Amino acid sequence: MRSLLLLVALGSACSPAVTTSGRFRADVWADNWFSLSLGETQVAEDSVPITTERSFNKESFGFDATYPLVLNWVLKDYKKNDTGLEYIGAVNQQMGDGGFIAQLTDTTTGKRVLVSNAAWRCLVIHRAPINVACEKSASPETDCQAEISPEPPGWKLPTFDVSAWPASVEYTEAQVSPRDGYTQVVWDASARLIWSKSLKQDNTLLCKVIVNDPG
C-alpha cells in the first residue's frame, strides 16, 4: 500500500450480490446503500434500493479501468424523509445509523490497492436531525431540523480538491453491528468500518479516492 495515494473520501440479507469480471474486484458492505463511479461514469450501485428499510447487504463486483483510478463514492443511510428518522409513526421511531467498509483488489497482480480507513475524507451533504430531541416527536416533519447541501459541482473530476473535507472516522464492529453479508467477505486486516463523525445524524456522504499505480 506504500504507493497508494489517498486524496479523499469518501442491504437486504437475501439480495443477490453483483458479481462481474474485470481487472479490479471490489468488495463492499454498506448500511444502507452506496454507489461507485469511475470519474463521472457509474460502475456499481447497491442492488437494494435506498428506499428499503433494514438493507445491510454486501456487494462484490468487477470493473475494467487503468491507473490512476478516480473513485467517487456516494454513501447513504436509510431515512424515511429529510427528518433523518426511520419508522416514523411507529413505536420504534428513531434515528438510523450508518456504516461502510470496502476493499479493492487488482486481479492481474493480486494486490490489494485500496481499503477503507481513516485516511479517507468524506463530505456530509445531508445531516438530520440537527436537534436530536425531536427523535420521538409525534410531528417530526415539523419539529426536526436538517442541514442539506447539494453535491459540489465537478466533485467527481480528477482535479477536484477534497483536502478540506473532514477525515472519515473508523468504527468498531461493536459500534456498527454489521450483518447480512458482512461475514461473507474475507476482509483485509487493514480494512476498517468507516463513516463520518456521527453514525446517526449524518445520512449522505460523498467520498473520493484516487489510486495511483502501485507499480
Side-chain angles (χ1 to χ4, degrees):
M1 303 288 293
R2 56 183 172 77
S3 52
L4 171 65
L5 176 62
L6 294 180
L7 295 182
V8 260
L10 283 248
S12 153
C14 60
S15 65
V18 176
T19 305
T20 58
S21 60
R23 177 175 180 180
F24 296 94
R25 175 187 169 87
D27 299 301
V28 179
W29 180 91
D31 178 359
N32 291 91
W33 183 93
F34 79 95
S35 70
L36 171 62
S37 295
L38 184 66
E40 296 184 291
T41 302
Q42 187 177 84
V43 296
E45 179 177 309
D46 200 315
S47 61
V48 180
I50 186 57
T51 53
T52 305
E53 294 181 355
R54 299 184 60 78
S55 55
F56 314 111
N57 60 303
K58 72 93 177 175
E59 305 280 357
S60 295
F61 55 90
F63 60 93
D64 289 308
T66 57
Y67 294 106
L69 309 178
V70 181
L71 304 176
N72 298 304
W73 304 83
V74 179
L75 312 180
K76 293 184 179 182
D77 181 33
Y78 172 80
K79 61 185 186 304
K80 182 67 173 180
N81 52 36
D82 284 340
T83 63
L85 304 182
E86 56 188 18
Y87 312 123
I88 293 176
V91 294
N92 58 337
Q93 177 176 303
Q94 63 183 6
M95 295 183 288
D97 53 1
F100 173 81
I101 186 171
Q103 61 189 21
L104 183 67
T105 303
D106 186 329
T107 60
T108 62
T109 64
K111 290 183 178 179
R112 193 86 71 205
V113 296
L114 176 70
V115 296
S116 54
N117 57 31
W120 289 34
R121 294 179 179 271
C122 295
L123 179 70
V124 178
I125 62 170
H126 191 290
R127 177 177 288 124
I130 303 305
N131 51 328
V132 296
C134 79
E135 182 178 20
K136 299 301 181 180
S137 169
S139 54
E141 288 85 354
T142 300
D143 296 337
C144 291
Q145 301 169 7
E147 291 179 357
I148 306 172
S149 304
E151 295 185 6
W155 77 275
K156 293 182 178 180
L157 298 175
T159 54
F160 188 87
D161 182 11
V162 297
S163 60
W165 288 10
S168 64
V169 178
E170 294 181 4
Y171 291 92
T172 65
E173 291 183 356
Q175 291 171 306
V176 176
S177 299
R179 51 201 179 278
D180 295 355
Y182 177 80
T183 58
Q184 296 174 13
V185 177
V186 179
W187 297 105
D188 191 281
S190 60
R192 297 289 182 266
L193 288 157
I194 64 169
W195 203 250
S196 55
K197 66 180 181 180
S198 176
L199 286 171
K200 291 189 173 183
Q201 289 176 280
D202 297 341
N203 303 304
T204 302
L205 285 62
L206 306 181
C207 309
K208 183 186 194 69
V209 185
I210 295 181
V211 183
N212 283 335
D213 189 340

